[in-house]
């Protein structure tokens, strides 16, 4: 469906002319989802879940391989990572 603007609102998705899912271009969906290639954030980035650089983000944890860091500052190691 086509996009249109009314009273400062956007109805529909915004996308670049070259948008191909998972490949090129960008999209901002009306449900709040976005897809970009790269990004620079100069402020705070808040996430309740996801992955970044091989780490898994949980609501109160950051997990990378055998190491878990939780929001209280404790670190759990589930394997012998130091020979």
């Amino acid at each position: 469906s086509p996009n249109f603007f009314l009273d400062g609102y956007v109805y529909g998705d915004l996308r670049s002319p070259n948008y191909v899912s998972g490949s090129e271009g960008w999209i901002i969906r009306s449900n709040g989802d976005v897809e970009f290639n790269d990004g620079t954030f100069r402020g705070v980035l808040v996430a309740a879940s996801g992955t970044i650089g091989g780490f898994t983000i949980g609501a109160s944890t950051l997990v990378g391989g055998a190491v878990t860091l939780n929001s209280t500052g404790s670190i759990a190691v589930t394997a012998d990572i130091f020979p």
Side-chain angles (χ1 to χ4, degrees):
S1 66
N3 300 328
F4 65 96
F5 298 85
L6 179 64
D7 294 330
Y9 294 98
V10 177
Y11 294 86
D13 300 338
L14 294 177
R15 65 180 75 204
S16 64
N18 65 329
Y19 174 70
V20 177
S21 181
S23 178
E24 61 183 294
W26 55 267
I27 189 169
I28 302 173
R29 297 189 185 280
S30 60
N31 68 0
D33 292 344
V34 299
E35 182 181 339
F36 299 110
N37 187 48
D38 292 317
T40 300
F41 298 87
R42 288 179 288 279
V44 175
L45 179 62
V46 177
S49 64
T51 58
I52 188 168
F55 291 89
T56 300
I57 302 166
S60 62
T61 60
L62 183 61
V63 180
V67 178
T68 300
L69 173 65
N70 72 34
S71 60
T72 65
S74 68
I75 300 172
V77 178
T78 58
D80 185 7
I81 60 172
F82 303 106

